[in-house]
């Protein structure tokens, strides 16, 4: 049988995996006000635990980037989602900071594979002009997962408690593996269900590259010898804390600033991620539209720059005007819209620069280095936010423009460099 638009089914499954990914990782922050009492933990313990996650997440980005380049996206995704689902289930057995840190560490290293895997998957299944849109659909999964996570986890917690909630959301990942193995049989060149028209559409879109997709992948040292690679890495380093501060700390902020309980956090915390979802889709759509008039280089840089401007303006609004929970989540809505507008294109740049067997490695390196800045930020938060979160917001407003500056300085033109 033939399936029309098979590539959209594939990216749809990757998007679904990302939704599950974010439900799993968001659950801790949402249920923390209750978990900390049961486990006898403090906010400093929370910072320690999420940094364990972030450190293993950083290592996982690099490891999984190489893994996906070696075993392919089909098996790579199976391994990633199996182990992060197992890690979620293991939270049932958490007894304190040490055991919770171990389970979060396993979750981090496994969940990290979703991102380099998606970039590599999009390079395999989409022509160059559609990759930012595909990346936007994938990134929308992170936002949708966060939208779903807040009210869903709050309701599951109310019905079953935090231990069973972790088991339920872990099982979702195991179930995902079934349709993935059924639909993603082979790559588009040899997939039995792909139409000839779609196969030619994908392959012809690759002919814009100056290198063969079958060429041997570059070594890490070769990738790092190119200044364009450092442009990607630096951009990820500067922009990643914008997203992760709100993923990790927004529930805690609502708890401390407005006295919210778990259900109230669930009621408010989902809304900003609607902005993230819209930003993901807009980032991909807008670049595709600009490509009808401008080069790939100008199109990507224009959208990334626009996203950083939106981030800065919205953060300043949050600092000066967010004196109610409604105003706060509204400004964060705009911040995350701008972030996803930028990141959906930053994450696509590795597939613009390198051939298939090197894409996952550069994407993984960028994600790993990006996580380093998140680790630093997580360590700083309990120290600089004793009186107010304003210092943290100011740091984000400074970091965001540095991401586009890194790209402008180090990547003179976004095009194949091998």
């Amino acid at each position: 049988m033939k399936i029309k638009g098979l590539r959209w089914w594939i990216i749809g499954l990757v998007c679904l995996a990302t939704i599950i990914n974010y439900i799993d990782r968001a659950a801790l922050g949402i249920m923390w006000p209750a978990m900390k009492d049961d486990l006898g933990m403090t906010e400093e313990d929370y910072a320690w635990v999420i940094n364990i996650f972030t450190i293993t997440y950083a290592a996982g980005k690099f490891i999984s980037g190489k893994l996906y380049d070696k075993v392919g996206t089909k098996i790579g995704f199976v391994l990633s989602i199996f182990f992060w689902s197992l890690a979620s289930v293991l939270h049932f057995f958490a007894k304190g900071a040490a055991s919770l840190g171990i389970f979060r560490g396993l979750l981090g290293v496994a969940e990290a594979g979703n991102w380099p895997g998606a970039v590599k998957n999009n390079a395999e299944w989409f022509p160059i002009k559609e990759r930012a849109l595909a990346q936007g659909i994938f990134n929308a999964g992170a936002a949708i997962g966060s939208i779903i996570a807040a009210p869903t986890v709050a309701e599951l917690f109310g019905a079953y408690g935090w231990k069973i909630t972790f088991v339920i959301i872990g099982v979702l990942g195991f179930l995902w593996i079934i349709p993935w193995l059924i639909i993603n049989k082979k790559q588009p060149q040899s997939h039995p269900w792909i139409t000839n028209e779609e196969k030619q559409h994908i392959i012809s879109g690759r002919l814009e590259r100056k290198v063969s997709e079958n060429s041997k992948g570059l070594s890490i040292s070769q990738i790092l010898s190119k200044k364009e690679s450092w442009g990607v890495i630096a951009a990820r380093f500067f922009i990643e804390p914008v997203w992760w501060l709100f993923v990790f700390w927004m529930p805690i902020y609502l708890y401390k600033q407005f006295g919210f309980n778990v259900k109230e956090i669930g009621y408010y915390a989902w809304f900003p991620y609607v902005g993230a979802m819209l930003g993901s889709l807009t980032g991909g759509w807008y670049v595709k539209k600009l490509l009808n008039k401008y080069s790939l280089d100008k199109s990507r840089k224009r959208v990334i720059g626009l996203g950083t401007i939106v981030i800065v303006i919205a953060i300043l609004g949050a600092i000066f005007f967010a004196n109610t929970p409604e105003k706060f989540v509204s400004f964060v809505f705009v911040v995350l819209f701008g972030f996803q507008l930028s990141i959906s294109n930053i994450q696509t740049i590795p597939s613009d620069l390198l051939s298939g067997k090197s894409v996952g490695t550069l994407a993984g390196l960028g994600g790993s280095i990006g996580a380093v800045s998140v680790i630093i930020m997580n360590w700083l938060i309990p120290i600089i936010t004793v009186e107010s979160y304003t210092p943290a917001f100011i740091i984000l407003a400074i970091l965001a423009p540095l991401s586009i500056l890194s790209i402008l300085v180090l990547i003179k033109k976004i095009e194949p460099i091998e």
Side-chain angles (χ1 to χ4, degrees):
M1 74 175 175
K2 302 292 183 181
I3 296 179
K4 188 175 181 180
L6 182 62
R7 68 191 187 282
W8 301 110
W9 286 88
I10 297 294
I11 192 61
L13 281 173
V14 175
C15 178
L16 180 59
T18 311
I19 292 172
I20 297 169
N21 185 298
Y22 261 82
I23 293 174
D24 288 353
R25 75 175 61 181
L28 177 66
I30 295 166
M31 296 189 289
W32 179 252
M35 290 179 64
K36 72 180 182 65
D37 295 331
D38 288 351
L39 298 175
M41 295 173 65
T42 66
E43 189 171 311
E44 287 70 26
D45 293 326
Y46 177 78
W48 183 84
V49 167
I50 63 173
N51 258 351
I52 291 294
F53 172 90
T54 313
I55 290 168
T56 60
Y57 188 78
K61 284 285 185 73
F62 172 71
I63 294 168
S64 58
K66 295 295 291 183
L67 174 69
Y68 276 74
D69 279 341
K70 186 174 182 63
V71 305
T73 54
K74 177 182 178 179
I75 301 302
F77 268 107
V78 170
L79 293 173
S80 292
I81 200 163
F82 175 85
F83 283 106
W84 92 53
S85 298
L86 176 63
S88 179
V89 171
L90 288 175
H91 281 59
F92 178 90
F93 302 101
K95 301 295 183 182
S99 56
L100 185 60
I102 291 171
F103 301 146
R104 295 308 285 184
L106 177 58
L107 184 72
V109 73
E111 284 199 335
N114 201 51
W115 269 256
V119 174
K120 184 174 178 63
N121 176 80
N122 293 344
E124 293 171 350
W125 279 93
F126 289 86
I128 289 174
K129 288 185 177 182
E130 290 182 350
R131 286 178 188 170
L133 179 58
Q135 191 70 23
I137 294 171
F138 154 70
N139 277 337
I144 296 169
S146 300
I147 293 168
I148 295 172
T152 301
V153 170
E155 288 298 322
L156 288 173
F157 169 82
Y160 304 107
W162 62 268
K163 287 178 176 286
I164 298 299
T165 298
F166 277 115
V167 174
I168 292 172
I169 61 179
V171 169
L172 294 176
F174 293 128
L175 295 176
W176 177 92
I177 294 173
I178 299 171
W180 175 254
L181 290 176
I182 292 173
I183 295 176
N184 191 17
K185 295 179 180 296
K186 294 183 178 180
Q187 290 193 15
Q189 295 93 325
S190 54
H191 199 294
W193 294 353
I194 194 170
T195 65
N196 289 330
E197 292 80 6
E198 184 173 20
K199 183 190 299 185
Q200 290 305 312
H201 176 69
I202 294 170
I203 294 174
S204 65
R206 296 175 180 173
L207 297 179
E208 299 174 31
R209 303 193 60 85
K210 297 178 181 177
V211 294
S212 168
E213 294 290 342
N214 294 318
S215 61
K216 185 179 179 181
L218 299 177
S219 67
I220 295 173
S221 61
Q222 288 175 315
I223 290 173
L224 293 180
S225 70
K226 302 176 185 299
K227 69 179 188 303
E228 292 87 353
S229 298
W230 287 101
V232 173
I233 292 170
R236 295 292 298 274
F237 178 86
F238 290 126
I239 203 168
E240 290 288 343
V242 176
W243 175 260
W244 289 103
L245 181 134
F246 295 107
V247 170
F248 285 143
W249 294 97
M250 183 166 59
I252 311 304
Y253 177 88
L254 293 172
Y255 166 68
K256 290 178 62 178
Q257 190 74 14
F258 303 108
F260 280 8
N261 58 32
V262 172
K263 283 203 169 184
E264 288 170 324
I265 290 171
Y267 182 76
Y268 277 85
W270 65 272
F271 179 68
Y273 297 103
V274 177
M277 178 183 67
L278 295 175
S280 296
L281 298 175
T282 303
W285 167 82
Y286 190 34
V287 160
K288 187 177 180 182
K289 182 178 180 181
L290 289 176
L291 283 170
N292 294 326
K293 184 177 181 181
Y294 302 105
S295 67
L296 177 66
D297 176 71
K298 288 184 178 179
S299 300
R300 289 247 192 276
K301 289 176 179 176
R302 178 170 294 194
V303 178
I304 294 169
L306 177 60
T308 58
I309 292 171
V310 171
I311 290 170
V312 173
I313 292 173
I315 288 176
L316 293 177
I319 292 172
F320 293 107
F321 302 108
N323 56 353
T324 67
E326 291 81 8
K327 289 180 181 178
F328 175 74
V329 296
S330 295
F331 281 115
V332 179
F333 176 105
V334 181
V335 171
L336 298 188
F337 176 89
F339 174 85
Q340 290 292 348
L341 200 68
S342 292
I343 199 67
S344 60
N345 284 278
I346 294 173
Q347 290 175 334
T348 307
I349 293 177
S351 66
D352 298 328
L353 299 176
L354 302 176
S355 66
K357 294 184 179 179
S358 303
V359 171
T361 302
L362 178 55
L365 282 170
S368 294
I369 300 302
V372 172
S373 61
V374 178
I375 294 168
I376 296 169
M377 197 69 179
N378 287 337
W379 174 75
L380 285 174
I381 291 295
I383 300 172
I384 65 177
T385 61
V386 175
E387 300 294 332
S388 166
Y389 270 69
T390 298
F393 295 151
I394 291 173
I395 292 173
L396 298 186
I398 294 171
L399 290 177
L402 294 177
S403 63
I404 181 61
L405 183 63
S406 301
I407 291 171
L408 293 175
V409 171
L410 295 171
I411 308 178
K412 297 300 183 184
K413 188 175 183 181
I414 299 175
E415 63 181 2
I417 59 174
E418 288 185 62

